[in-house]
Amino acid sequence: ILLDILSAPQASTAITFSRRDLYPVPFTSIPRSAGVKYTLSDDGLPVLHGVVGALSCRLVCIPIPLWTTSGQAQEPRLGNPS
């Protein structure tokens, strides 16, 4: 997972990547000449040019749910679920 941190002047770029109804696959449906410039990280993830920062993350274990659907806190269960 890669998170690009955009600045205020990059609002239109943020819309491009947040509107799945307009841009379902932004890196393939928008030509590079359209102004969204990026390079690929060592992991092959797109890093947008001119961003404030970029955070690259990797999932190292299965996530532990902290909330149930009712919104009540749930104690994390570790180990064998049986």
Side-chain angles (χ1 to χ4, degrees):
I1 299 171
L2 189 122
L3 174 69
D4 288 299
I5 303 170
L6 285 72
S7 62
Q10 295 173 306
S12 63
T13 301
I15 290 169
T16 300
F17 292 97
S18 65
R19 295 284 311 268
R20 294 199 122 191
D21 57 333
L22 298 176
Y23 308 100
V25 188
F27 287 104
T28 57
S29 61
I30 300 171
R32 280 191 172 212
S33 60
V36 180
K37 295 183 168 102
Y38 63 91
T39 55
L40 297 178
S41 70
D42 293 340
D43 295 326
L45 301 170
V47 179
L48 302 177
H49 290 193
V51 295
V52 175
L55 301 172
S56 182
C57 316
R58 183 175 310 169
L59 187 63
V60 294
C61 68
I62 58 173
I64 300 171
L66 299 177
W67 299 96
T68 64
T69 55
S70 65
Q72 298 294 320
Q74 179 181 4
E75 293 292 323
R77 290 182 234 154
L78 301 174
N80 189 349
S82 56

